[in-house]
Amino acid sequence: MKLKISIFFFFAVIIIIGAPPVVEHPAEDKAQTTPQDPQGSDDVLDNLEYGRYLKEVVEILESDPEFKKKIENASLDDIKSGNIAEHLSLVQHHIRTQLDEAKQREMIRLRELVGQRARNLSDKQRAALARSDAGGKLTRELLPQHIDHKNVETFGQTDLERLIRHASRDLDELDRKREKEFKEYEMQKEYERRAELAKLSPEERQKIEATHAEALEKKKHHPKVNHPGSVDQIEKVWEDVDKLDADQFSPKSFFNLHDINTDGFLDEAEIEAIMLKEAEKVHEGTPEADPVEKQEELDRMRQHVLTEFDKNADRMLSLEEFLVGINGTGAKNDQGWQSIEDSTVFSDQDFNKFSEKMAPVSTSIPIHQTPSLPNNQQVPIHPEAAVERPAAGQQQIHIPRAPPAVNNP
């Protein structure tokens, strides 16, 4: 019986995803399209399971002059909603052929992927699906939804709509995930700092807290950071990084100079390189600068520039987008820039919830020995809030639940 269910389920999945037409020379057409390992890659699209396919479709569409013009004139909402797909009929015949072939390769990849997913299901999962999935609804949930499975032969409007919508959603989710991970990193960092303080005498804690507060205040008085993507910021890179004469500044020349791989676009890594000098200002003069915080500053600047400049939402800047962007209302230097050090990464409530996830333990440190804040203000430690630092052999300690020092405005 188990064997029958397994065979039924496996073939149901394969039938739904379909067998795409054979590409005449797949090895010759796309011998280099095997996805690279996302680790070590600066391209955020490589973090998407279908990132290679997405980049291939974007490159094909942008090679069509008429469709590229439609993209450049479309609103961000029209692009992210997938409405831009209505103009797919405008692309030239050879472009449609390239899109068809790209989809066929993707269908082959997905057929192998879904087959593997089906084989990884337990007998219980297969049995449940076989009993309750007569209409195929649950089976279809195993299929990646960035492609139109009903049409296995050609790349149509539905394919483009689905690809754009899913990419927009998934890329936004990647940004949210990055921000969440950074927030948790900062809370863990503060948690461990307090753990170290809790092992010290009141006098030692007061001295270290004063030094910490002084360092935080110093970081807030960093040199002025130019608004990312503003003419002032771009000209500063031209003069101080590229070592070129200010009187000879040309936006087009700047673009070509920083298009390192000469593909006609500024990708995310190239944009971050342009933002590097501004991000370094935030940590200027602080030898204890945290590389994770510096990278987060770069990520935020890059994300901001793409939001302001990237009209077609392909996570790259064309020359036209760059020229329009640096002269746009969203790239004025007088807007300034709010760095990580100028903002609150997590709230008191966030930190307390984070601390409560740690297992409560007793402590040998007297309850009155609490970390102190500037101006000799004592931070109360509550016995019920005692938690331990997650390290083997660590001394039992109390971690205060007072407002984290990093959040002082």
Side-chain angles (χ1 to χ4, degrees):
M1 181 61 182
K2 287 184 179 179
L3 179 61
K4 289 183 178 179
I5 292 175
S6 299
I7 293 174
F8 166 81
F9 178 75
F10 181 79
F11 279 100
V13 170
I14 298 302
I15 290 171
I16 288 172
I17 195 167
V22 177
V23 180
E24 291 184 5
H25 304 289
E28 297 176 8
D29 287 347
K30 280 291 173 182
Q32 293 85 24
T33 57
T34 302
Q36 298 178 349
D37 185 353
Q39 295 183 357
S41 172
D42 289 323
D43 193 340
V44 71
L45 296 183
D46 289 334
N47 293 316
L48 298 179
E49 181 268 326
Y50 52 92
R52 178 205 59 80
Y53 174 62
L54 173 61
K55 287 192 286 187
E56 185 178 6
V57 169
V58 169
E59 289 173 2
I60 293 172
L61 287 172
E62 289 192 334
S63 68
D64 185 279
E66 288 299 319
F67 194 82
K68 183 177 181 180
K69 189 181 300 182
K70 288 291 183 181
I71 293 176
E72 292 172 349
N73 294 329
S75 68
L76 183 61
D77 288 340
D78 281 340
I79 293 172
K80 298 189 76 170
S81 66
N83 291 340
I84 191 69
E86 297 174 359
H87 303 291
L88 187 62
S89 59
L90 298 176
V91 302
Q92 301 174 46
H93 177 72
H94 73 282
I95 298 295
R96 292 299 293 263
T97 300
Q98 292 179 42
L99 290 171
D100 294 343
E101 293 174 349
K103 179 177 178 177
Q104 291 164 18
R105 286 187 290 271
E106 181 69 353
M107 292 291 285
I108 291 173
R109 185 187 73 84
L110 291 180
R111 189 152 57 101
E112 295 172 353
L113 173 66
V114 174
Q116 183 61 47
R117 288 180 178 178
R119 288 189 290 272
N120 290 338
L121 290 176
S122 66
D123 290 339
K124 184 177 180 180
Q125 289 172 316
R126 290 195 184 103
L129 285 170
R131 286 195 304 269
S132 60
D133 198 29
K137 179 181 178 182
L138 296 178
T139 304
R140 284 181 172 81
E141 290 180 357
L142 284 174
L143 306 180
Q145 295 301 305
H146 64 276
I147 201 167
D148 181 11
H149 297 285
K150 294 180 180 180
N151 177 9
V152 299
E153 296 186 4
T154 60
F155 184 98
Q157 180 176 332
T158 302
D159 285 294
L160 187 53
E161 288 174 353
R162 286 193 174 194
L163 184 59
I164 293 174
R165 288 173 184 168
H166 280 270
S168 297
R169 181 198 64 194
D170 293 344
L171 289 170
D172 288 344
E173 181 59 31
L174 283 176
D175 283 332
R176 285 191 292 270
K177 182 180 178 182
R178 190 203 79 238
E179 292 170 0
K180 180 182 177 182
E181 289 175 348
F182 178 70
K183 178 179 178 180
E184 291 177 348
Y185 169 82
E186 288 291 284
M187 289 192 290
Q188 180 69 27
K189 183 178 174 181
E190 174 65 10
Y191 177 87
E192 294 185 357
R193 187 187 74 84
R194 295 189 187 195
E196 293 299 319
L197 286 174
K199 296 187 294 185
L200 304 176
S201 67
E203 293 77 16
E204 290 174 318
R205 283 200 295 273
Q206 184 173 349
K207 181 178 179 181
I208 291 178
E209 281 282 50
T211 302
H212 179 67
E214 183 180 345
L216 290 177
E217 191 64 25
K218 183 178 180 181
K219 289 170 75 173
K220 290 180 181 180
H221 291 83
H222 54 71
K224 179 185 176 182
V225 177
N226 289 306
H227 187 77
S230 65
V231 174
D232 287 2
Q233 187 260 318
I234 298 299
E235 288 182 342
K236 198 69 176 172
V237 175
W238 175 271
E239 297 172 29
D240 296 349
V241 179
D242 302 332
K243 305 298 182 183
L244 297 172
D245 192 337
D247 295 335
Q248 297 179 347
F249 173 72
S250 162
K252 184 175 181 180
S253 298
F254 180 93
F255 180 94
N256 293 330
L257 181 63
H258 289 269
D259 177 18
I260 306 300
N261 59 5
T262 66
D263 64 350
F265 297 91
L266 294 180
D267 60 31
E268 296 198 322
E270 291 165 339
I271 294 171
E272 284 192 8
I274 295 172
M275 300 296 121
L276 182 60
K277 185 168 182 62
E278 294 303 314
E280 288 178 338
K281 288 181 180 180
V282 179
H283 304 283
E284 191 172 298
T286 54
E288 71 283 1
D290 188 332
V292 175
E293 293 178 354
K294 183 177 177 180
Q295 182 59 49
E296 176 65 15
E297 197 75 64
L298 274 172
D299 287 338
R300 292 187 181 193
M301 289 182 172
R302 177 258 306 159
Q303 185 177 346
H304 175 79
V305 170
L306 286 173
T307 300
E308 296 291 338
F309 288 27
D310 186 17
K311 289 284 291 181
N312 62 358
D314 63 353
R315 314 287 284 201
M316 300 184 295
L317 299 184
S318 65
L319 174 60
E320 292 80 5
E321 288 173 327
F322 178 75
L323 295 178
V324 171
I326 62 172
N327 294 310
T329 57
K332 291 183 177 179
N333 198 52
D334 55 13
Q335 292 178 326
W337 175 251
Q338 187 178 52
S339 70
I340 295 172
E341 303 302 332
D342 302 323
S343 58
T344 300
V345 178
F346 57 87
S347 66
D348 304 344
Q349 184 179 12
D350 291 332
F351 182 77
N352 288 337
K353 287 182 178 179
F354 178 84
S355 299
E356 288 169 356
K357 293 179 181 178
M358 306 299 178
V361 295
S362 60
T363 178
S364 59
I365 298 178
I367 200 64
H368 66 276
Q369 291 188 7
T370 62
S372 57
L373 294 172
N375 301 323
N376 295 322
Q377 294 178 330
Q378 293 296 310
V379 179
I381 296 181
H382 304 288
E384 70 275 11
V387 293
E388 65 176 349
R389 186 184 179 190
Q394 180 65 50
Q395 179 187 4
Q396 294 179 332
I397 54 175
H398 278 297
I399 307 298
R401 297 179 61 190
V406 293
N407 286 334
N408 290 338

